[in-house]
Amino acid sequence: MDVRRRAYKVPRPTAAVIHQEQQQQSQASGSAAPKASDALPLPLYLTNAIFFTLFFSVAYYLLLRWRDKIRNSMPLHVVTLPELAAIVSLIASFIYLLGFFGIDFVQSFIARASNDAWDLEDDDVDVDPPEHRLLTCPPSAPDHLIPAVTSAEDEEIVEWVIKGTIPSHALEEKVGDCKRAACIRREALQRITGRSLQGLPVDGFNYDSILKQCCEMPVGYVQIPVGIAGPLLLDGFEYSVPMATTEGCLVASTNRGCKAIYVSGGATSTILRDGMTRAPVVRFPSAVRACHLKFFLENPSNFQALADEFNQSSNFARLQSIQCSVAGKNLYMRFSCCTGDAMGMNMVSKGVENVLRYLKSDYPDMDIIGISGNFCSDKKPAAINWIEGRGKSVVCEAIIKEEIVKKVLKTNVATLVELNMLKNLAGSAVAGALGGFNAHASNIVSAIFIATGQDPAQNVESSHCITMMEAVNDGKDLHVSVTMPSIEVGTVGGGTQLASQSACLNLLGVKGASKGLPGANSRLLATIVAGSVLAGELSLMAAIADGQLVKSHMKYNRSSKDVSKVPHMNDLASNGLE
Ligand code: ADP
């Protein structure tokens, strides 16, 4: 469809509009800015009439007097007392009239000149501004706005942002100081919305570290508490697992699962596969042509040439496979590659662009519709990730001894096995689940993702998990496993380099690029995620089997808090977290 667009032109506020806005603001705040007309306790129209009459009458009088003086050859600079009074009145009434009618007119020129200096015309786009209203309802009581800027210079920039003469997104570039830009934007936002941002901290964050890579137009940062679960004994090593969450009892419950695993001898993990995917969609004039390219791409003898093209743009991205799917004239090509310690979305996308450029010369009728055709599939529930995997595919298992199931998890093996079958397997099948054959994998995945700077939106596919439970050793002990085919994590790039997130990665011993084999750190992080999910599954399933779910939620997740009576960790741990 051909969509015709007109460039958007942000209307520059006229003097009259500004004057009107100022009046409205004054009325709203109840504190009018002082004006010359305030000096006389008369209605505005009367004051104006007086000064108009005064101005023109004394001007007329003075002109008459000067004409007489010129005719009589008298010196002009010798003035009588009435003439002096007339001159004073003329100046006074001129100042009044200029203040009332003229200042805004003059200011519009000053503002225009200043804006030119800021090169503010950059992204003025000429389309009709959409009709919009402010947010929801106004605050019931006016918010107490704590100013985020103090200097007069910043005050002036705030006003420009409010008027729209400086785009908010350009502040970093214009003021050349990321923290200052955040404060100015924050102040403008407070004034535009009339709502206070008190409680959202702005100090104590390095805004330079997020510029052009993590977050645009910052006004502060959200604090999320980080708790520690563990030690998680996994593959013979102990890990203290950082979890960023505001869900009460989640950390305590995972901690209980870690304890059950630890005293049973630990968990073991295996990486089944490691490859990030990107799937562009291309269109041909016919389905036959789409199939030609499919056969070409899937022919093993063409793989090396394609891999050479793909691998050009990175030292770490190495093409593994190309899986194709045809829909009529359209072809979806799912490229998979290892990405070292990076989560890898940028890397794989660059490689795909190289290959598309290469293919275009042999397939000139190929119309590239999009670099991502959703066959990838990123940040959406999709069977392709559940079946084929994306990122790291991990299986993690442990055998929990009978007495540990009783003492730590407060239930028994048979009850857990039955609950797992009826809830995580049959129950999820009844619900038509896609990758959701577990109790609450996403709880643990999200908390670790946020703590370690992963992309939280990839929690969607990273939480795909099937939890299996089986009685072993003559039915006495419990074999528990989680299989997670698409854990998408990295230890370099994105949010991993920010100070807090980097500290959490450091705690796990997986900060940054691995010294030895590229990708070792990110793979280890994926196994830690799976191991923690195993712990979380054990604890929640036990809580449900023991009938603690609702009781614990009511007791610890909805309480109006009295911090002097914080519950003991063991009480919290038996909570269910669904
Ligand atoms: P992503 O592809 O996950 O979006 P980036 O685009 O930030 O991540 O890519 C990661 C960057 O880190 C690349 O420039 C890459 O060259 C660099 N890098 C350094 N060491 C490694 C490593 N061990 N594994 C992967 N990338 C690495």
Side-chain angles (χ1 to χ4, degrees):
M1 190 176 62
D2 182 23
V3 182
R4 288 175 51 203
R5 296 195 179 94
R6 265 199 312 137
Y8 179 68
K9 189 89 191 157
V10 179
R12 199 178 289 284
T14 61
V17 170
I18 294 170
H19 189 71
Q20 196 183 352
E21 279 171 2
Q22 282 171 347
Q23 279 183 334
Q24 281 167 357
Q25 279 170 10
S26 302
Q27 281 160 9
S29 65
S31 61
K35 295 194 199 79
S37 56
D38 298 343
L40 292 179
L42 293 171
L44 200 59
Y45 71 94
L46 262 184
T47 319
N48 287 347
I50 288 170
F51 278 99
F52 257 114
T53 315
L54 187 67
F55 179 79
F56 286 109
S57 50
V58 293
Y60 182 66
Y61 169 75
L62 285 172
L63 283 173
L64 285 181
R65 292 292 308 130
W66 285 336
R67 192 187 63 178
D68 290 346
K69 281 185 180 179
I70 291 165
R71 278 184 186 164
N72 302 330
S73 301
M74 286 168 67
L76 283 179
H77 62 276
V78 179
V79 287
T80 61
L81 205 58
E83 285 168 357
L84 192 65
I87 290 169
V88 171
S89 303
L90 184 80
I91 293 170
S93 54
F94 177 77
I95 290 172
Y96 172 86
L97 294 173
L98 183 71
F100 194 85
F101 296 105
I103 290 292
D104 289 339
F105 178 70
V106 174
Q107 270 182 349
S108 70
F109 283 101
I110 295 169
R112 187 176 291 267
S114 311
N115 295 346
D116 289 346
W118 281 73
D119 191 20
L120 298 175
E121 299 292 342
D122 289 4
D123 48 7
D124 276 8
V125 194
D126 187 18
V127 294
D128 296 331
E131 269 189 29
H132 59 270
R133 288 174 294 149
L134 250 191
L135 297 177
T136 50
C137 52
S140 49
D143 274 359
H144 178 57
L145 305 184
I146 296 175
V149 297
T150 45
S151 76
E153 194 188 345
D154 287 356
E155 271 291 334
E156 194 177 7
I157 303 172
V158 168
E159 286 303 318
W160 285 345
V161 173
I162 292 170
K163 286 173 187 164
T165 41
I166 294 179
S168 177
H169 67 77
L171 277 171
E172 276 75 6
E173 196 191 329
K174 303 289 183 194
V175 301
D177 176 341
C178 294
K179 166 83 188 299
R180 192 175 153 213
C183 290
I184 291 169
R185 180 179 297 114
R186 181 186 173 97
E187 182 57 21
L189 182 67
Q190 289 196 127
R191 291 190 199 171
I192 289 166
T193 60
R195 293 184 187 260
S196 169
L197 287 178
Q198 191 183 4
L200 182 77
V202 69
D203 291 324
F205 190 83
N206 179 2
Y207 292 90
D208 293 321
S209 68
I210 56 169
L211 184 67
K212 294 190 176 166
Q213 47 187 345
C214 288
C215 180
E216 298 76 38
M217 295 191 274
V219 292
Y221 58 97
V222 165
Q223 295 165 302
I224 303 178
V226 174
I228 294 293
L232 170 70
L233 183 55
L234 180 68
D235 300 320
F237 293 95
E238 290 183 15
Y239 301 98
S240 297
V241 183
M243 299 175 72
T245 183
T246 53
E247 183 175 8
C249 304
L250 176 61
V251 181
S253 180
T254 311
N255 194 56
R256 178 172 77 147
C258 288
K259 184 177 174 188
I261 293 170
Y262 193 98
V263 291
S264 295
T268 312
S269 68
T270 307
I271 299 258
L272 301 166
R273 177 186 175 280
D274 178 10
M276 181 43 69
T277 64
R278 178 56 98 197
V281 52
V282 297
R283 184 170 53 199
F284 283 94
S286 68
V288 171
R289 286 291 290 160
C291 293
H292 276 166
L293 181 54
K294 173 183 161 67
F295 297 141
F296 174 83
L297 293 173
E298 290 179 348
N299 185 338
S301 61
N302 296 326
F303 182 80
Q304 196 50 53
L306 293 165
D308 290 345
E309 290 298 325
F310 186 97
N311 299 344
Q312 269 176 24
S313 48
S314 166
N315 290 332
F316 300 94
R318 292 292 169 263
L319 185 66
Q320 295 169 330
S321 65
I322 308 169
Q323 186 182 4
C324 295
S325 184
V326 169
K329 300 187 297 176
N330 308 299
L331 179 67
Y332 299 80
M333 306 168 262
R334 191 171 188 257
F335 290 81
S336 178
C337 75
C338 52
T339 56
D341 288 307
M343 180 274 289
M345 282 306 298
N346 287 329
M347 238 178 241
V348 65
S349 301
K350 282 186 215 160
V352 166
E353 275 184 348
N354 298 341
V355 175
L356 290 177
R357 218 174 295 121
Y358 168 74
L359 291 173
K360 191 76 181 154
S361 56
D362 284 344
Y363 293 85
D365 54 344
M366 179 180 81
D367 188 9
I368 301 168
I369 304 297
I371 182 83
S372 168
N374 275 8
F375 188 45
C376 318
S377 178
D378 193 41
K379 303 176 183 175
K380 294 164 280 283
I384 187 95
N385 295 336
W386 173 232
I387 298 166
E388 295 289 332
R390 186 168 199 255
K392 278 81 175 149
S393 304
V394 184
V395 59
C396 185
E397 65 187 329
I399 294 178
I400 311 298
K401 299 206 176 78
E402 184 183 28
E403 77 247 45
I404 306 302
V405 173
K406 281 195 184 130
K407 281 191 190 147
V408 178
L409 299 176
K410 312 261 184 328
T411 182
N412 61 71
V413 172
T415 308
L416 275 178
V417 170
E418 184 183 46
L419 178 67
N420 189 66
M421 193 267 287
L422 290 176
K423 172 185 166 64
N424 289 343
L425 305 183
S428 295
V430 167
L434 174 58
F437 299 91
N438 59 77
H440 71 148
S442 71
N443 254 337
I444 290 90
V445 171
S446 307
I448 301 177
F449 267 37
I450 294 169
T452 60
Q454 310 305 314
D455 187 337
Q458 289 182 321
N459 161 65
V460 174
E461 59 270 34
S462 296
S463 299
H464 283 345
C465 170
I466 183 164
T467 301
M468 306 290 288
M469 289 189 187
E470 196 183 319
V472 293
N473 300 336
D474 297 329
K476 287 199 307 239
D477 301 335
L478 175 76
H479 181 277
V480 57
S481 69
V482 291
T483 306
M484 304 179 68
S486 42
I487 301 179
E488 296 161 358
V489 289
T491 57
V492 297
T496 63
Q497 38 85 30
L498 300 179
S500 322
Q501 292 83 338
S502 174
C504 291
L505 288 169
N506 191 40
L507 177 71
L508 292 170
V510 294
K511 179 180 163 183
S514 43
K515 300 278 179 292
L517 197 62
N521 274 357
S522 63
R523 281 194 287 272
L524 178 54
L525 179 58
T527 62
I528 293 169
V529 169
S532 307
V533 168
L534 188 78
E537 289 291 279
L538 267 176
S539 188
L540 174 55
M541 291 296 283
I544 296 173
D546 188 33
Q548 291 293 319
L549 178 69
V550 178
K551 201 172 127 200
S552 300
H553 259 289
M554 289 304 118
K555 197 168 174 189
Y556 298 124
N557 246 350
R558 306 246 168 103
S559 60
S560 53
K561 230 168 248 148
D562 176 355
V563 285
S564 65
K565 293 173 189 152
V566 175
H568 189 269
M569 281 288 278
N570 284 345
D571 297 341
L572 284 171
S574 63
N575 173 54
L577 290 147
E578 258 185 314

